[in-house]
Amino acid sequence: MTLMSIGPEAALLAIIIPALASLLILLSDKHPDIREGWTLLASVLCFLSVITLVPVILNGHDIEYTLFNIYPGLSIAYNVDAFGLIFAITSSSLWILVSIYSIGYMRTLNEHAQTRFYFCFAWAIFGALGIAFSKNLVTMYLHYEILTISTYPLVAHLETPEACAAGRKYLYYLLTSGCFFFIAIIVTYWLCGTTDFKPGGILSLASGSALLLQALFLCYLLGFMKAAWMPFHSWLPTAMIAPTPVSALLHAVAVVKAGVFGIIRVVCYIYGIDLMHALNLGIFLASLVSITVIMANLFAIGEDNLKRRLAYSTINQLSFILLGVAMLDPMGIMGGMMHIPFHGYMKITLFLCAGAIMAITGKENISEMAGIGRKMPITMIAFTVGALGMCGLPPAAGFISKWYICMGTIDAGMLIFLAVALVASILDAVYFFPIIKTAFFDEGNFDERDSGHMERSRAIYLFMIIPLAITAIFSVILCFAPDTLHVFELGRLAMINLFGGV
């Protein structure tokens, strides 16, 4: 297939595949093997559809597709660019591994409503890919709300009173967020006559008063509450009552990444670097997320439940991404963009490990996991890799993206935020290293004859162990070969589009 033969329909196909798969999943309700076969097939086809777009974009060709026009300057339209492809590659590639993992997890625990689970998961990926390829704010808003609605049944999956309460809280926060997003879109269209994303932004000081533009930016931040910045973060730890594959979806694949992706779109493609500087919005954003970075880590230190500790870690890492972007410097923004896929692979490793431990041993609290590293060595080695990456240490990919973010603070002359980044990484170690010590070096209450054999005591466990091992391996590969999934090259292209020949 030549580059010229890959038309705009290819981008639309990548978005549509999850939606079509959801219908096939429903039709296969009585046949679990077929239902899960559709899920796996769709995830692979979706990733292949996304990855075929990479050479087109890297060779400077545009991929646009307009479904229909609503009003002059308003349309439901898609556009593939370098930054969007980074998010799309992350979501589509991880969907494959989470799908495999889900089979082992859901069958091991004999979960109910599995058809609903796979159906909603497919629609969540549809929402995420639509956000990645949105040409404008209107299209992004449509998919943003689809992502919210489709993930609500997943959060409330267990249908216990606690799960239903968590689902309602999730919905209240994110639907309220959507209202702010909608208001921001209306104001932007009123000021500019368009909502299309454009490198360098569409707003300017001529668009409106400085005070109005600053208030509009705050409205956008509230609109992207999926980024879980404090104090609008509590929905995320509460949502950890959901099954582990859902937690992986929330933290690594789609939901929270959609929040930070949206904020980066607004900073770089609605406001633009120059206007952000002129309105001092970079300093404002950096200050806001710095509070979140530090406070989330302090909350994580006090959590004994493993998934909740990982949830606070996610809140910290999301704001770490935005800290790099807030520097309004090529190095910082590059680091923030790279941390989206790198964090995705590392964090999904951590959550898959937590889920495997819970499904196989029934243990959810860190204080109960003494010696688990000798009983589940592959799982805990993979966990260690992900934890090192969260701390910004080699050999995991987090070392690369965090290095770029720190260099961005230096290039921008913002050494106070360099201090924030370094303190945050030290705090990461404070709450991750004790987990590793407990797992490998503390004495556990188990039969030594079973040591190292739990992971392969049942064949179905391999559906969990193999995906988490793969994500851990990729977390290392992306450190030494960061362009393995083309994300590094796409990031450089995005910087060229934003800053010129950087």
Side-chain angles (χ1 to χ4, degrees):
M1 180 181 291
T2 64
L3 293 181
M4 297 306 295
S5 67
I6 301 176
E9 294 80 8
L12 192 62
L13 177 63
I15 299 171
I16 289 176
I17 285 174
L20 293 176
S22 69
L23 300 178
L24 295 171
I25 288 167
L26 279 183
L27 294 173
S28 306
D29 180 40
K30 304 299 182 182
H31 306 281
D33 291 340
I34 297 175
R35 175 192 65 204
E36 289 154 14
W38 286 125
T39 299
L40 292 173
L41 179 62
S43 63
V44 171
L45 291 178
C46 183
F47 174 69
L48 292 176
S49 298
V50 169
I51 211 72
T52 58
L53 302 173
V54 173
V56 182
I57 299 304
L58 292 179
N59 280 274
H61 298 284
D62 294 330
I63 301 177
E64 293 187 12
Y65 192 94
T66 300
L67 283 181
F68 57 88
N69 294 306
I70 303 172
Y71 197 73
L74 294 176
S75 62
I76 302 299
Y78 301 95
N79 175 65
V80 183
D81 67 358
F83 179 40
L85 262 181
I86 292 173
F87 184 32
I89 290 171
T90 304
S91 300
S92 60
S93 62
L94 291 177
W95 187 26
I96 300 173
L97 297 170
V98 175
S99 295
I100 298 171
Y101 181 93
S102 297
I103 296 171
Y105 183 92
M106 302 298 278
R107 292 194 178 191
T108 295
L109 297 179
N110 195 27
E111 287 283 0
H112 73 295
Q114 292 189 29
T115 297
R116 183 185 67 192
F117 170 87
Y118 290 110
F119 173 83
C120 292
F121 212 109
W123 272 98
I125 299 298
F126 170 78
L129 291 176
I131 290 170
F133 292 154
S134 293
K135 183 182 179 182
N136 53 51
L137 289 166
V138 174
T139 309
M140 177 180 279
Y141 173 79
L142 174 65
H143 285 274
Y144 196 80
E145 294 302 276
I146 288 173
L147 183 58
T148 297
I149 299 300
S150 63
T151 47
Y152 162 71
L154 296 175
V155 174
H157 176 82
L158 297 180
E159 298 181 16
T160 61
E162 295 80 8
C164 291
R168 288 193 297 271
K169 183 175 184 178
Y170 177 84
L171 208 57
Y172 292 157
Y173 267 79
L174 298 190
L175 288 181
T176 301
S177 169
C179 294
F180 284 101
F181 188 8
F182 187 71
I183 293 169
I185 293 171
I186 293 173
V187 174
T188 301
Y189 180 72
W190 173 60
L191 292 174
C192 302
T194 182
T195 65
D196 286 0
F197 298 122
K198 176 185 174 184
I202 59 175
L203 290 168
S204 67
L205 285 174
S207 302
S209 69
L211 183 60
L212 174 61
L213 295 175
Q214 289 166 339
L216 177 61
F217 186 73
L218 179 58
C219 198
Y220 273 118
L221 290 181
L222 292 170
F224 291 109
M225 215 176 285
K226 284 186 175 75
W229 51 277
M230 291 184 172
F232 305 104
H233 69 286
S234 64
W235 62 269
L236 189 55
T238 302
M240 291 304 94
I241 197 169
T244 296
V246 178
S247 300
L249 172 71
L250 294 176
H251 291 256
V253 181
V255 178
V256 295
K257 292 299 193 305
V260 294
F261 180 86
I263 292 175
I264 297 172
R265 275 291 194 208
V266 168
V267 169
C268 299
Y269 298 85
I270 295 296
Y271 276 76
I273 305 302
D274 292 340
L275 183 59
M276 291 288 294
H277 274 300
L279 297 173
N280 292 317
L281 290 175
I283 296 292
F284 169 74
L285 179 60
S287 301
L288 182 68
V289 299
S290 291
I291 295 171
T292 301
V293 164
I294 300 300
M295 291 303 298
N297 276 341
L298 295 177
F299 277 112
I301 292 171
E303 278 290 345
D304 186 40
N305 182 275
L306 181 55
K307 283 178 65 177
R308 285 182 62 87
R309 183 174 292 194
L310 294 179
Y312 282 109
S313 170
T314 297
I315 294 169
N316 150 48
Q317 296 294 326
L318 295 173
S319 284
F320 207 96
I321 292 171
L322 296 177
L323 180 64
V325 174
M327 295 301 99
L328 306 177
D329 173 84
M331 291 283 279
I333 297 176
M334 177 76 168
M337 288 185 176
M338 291 302 94
H339 207 52
I340 290 177
F342 294 172
H343 172 264
Y345 270 88
M346 296 182 300
K347 182 50 64 75
I348 205 170
T349 300
L350 295 172
F351 269 106
L352 298 188
C353 291
I357 292 169
M358 192 279 288
I360 295 173
T361 70
K363 300 181 186 298
E364 299 183 37
N365 296 324
I366 298 163
S367 57
E368 302 170 337
M369 296 180 184
I372 200 71
R374 295 190 294 278
K375 203 153 187 165
M376 300 180 66
I378 297 174
T379 300
M380 287 311 302
I381 290 171
F383 186 95
T384 301
V385 169
L388 289 174
M390 292 296 108
C391 302
L393 297 174
F399 170 72
I400 302 295
S401 49
K402 283 198 168 188
W403 176 271
Y404 269 81
I405 290 171
C406 289
M407 290 300 101
T409 64
I410 295 173
D411 285 352
M414 302 289 184
L415 297 185
I416 183 64
F417 296 116
L418 174 62
V420 169
L422 295 176
V423 169
S425 294
I426 292 171
L427 291 175
D428 287 332
V430 168
Y431 62 79
F432 271 120
F433 280 28
I435 302 174
I436 299 169
K437 172 188 173 294
T438 297
F440 285 109
F441 300 106
D442 289 359
E443 288 297 326
N445 184 22
F446 60 86
D447 190 337
E448 288 293 339
R449 291 174 300 176
D450 295 330
S451 179
H453 294 289
M454 281 196 85
E455 294 166 325
R456 57 181 186 270
S457 60
R458 293 179 59 191
I460 194 66
Y461 292 165
L462 294 178
F463 280 88
M464 291 184 284
I465 303 304
I466 291 174
L468 66 86
I470 292 173
T471 57
I473 290 169
F474 263 94
S475 296
V476 174
I477 290 173
L478 288 169
C479 179
F480 294 100
D483 209 29
T484 300
L485 294 173
H486 302 287
V487 292
F488 195 78
E489 195 173 1
L490 289 168
R492 286 181 59 84
L493 179 59
M495 292 305 98
I496 290 171
N497 291 336
L498 288 172
F499 292 94
V502 176

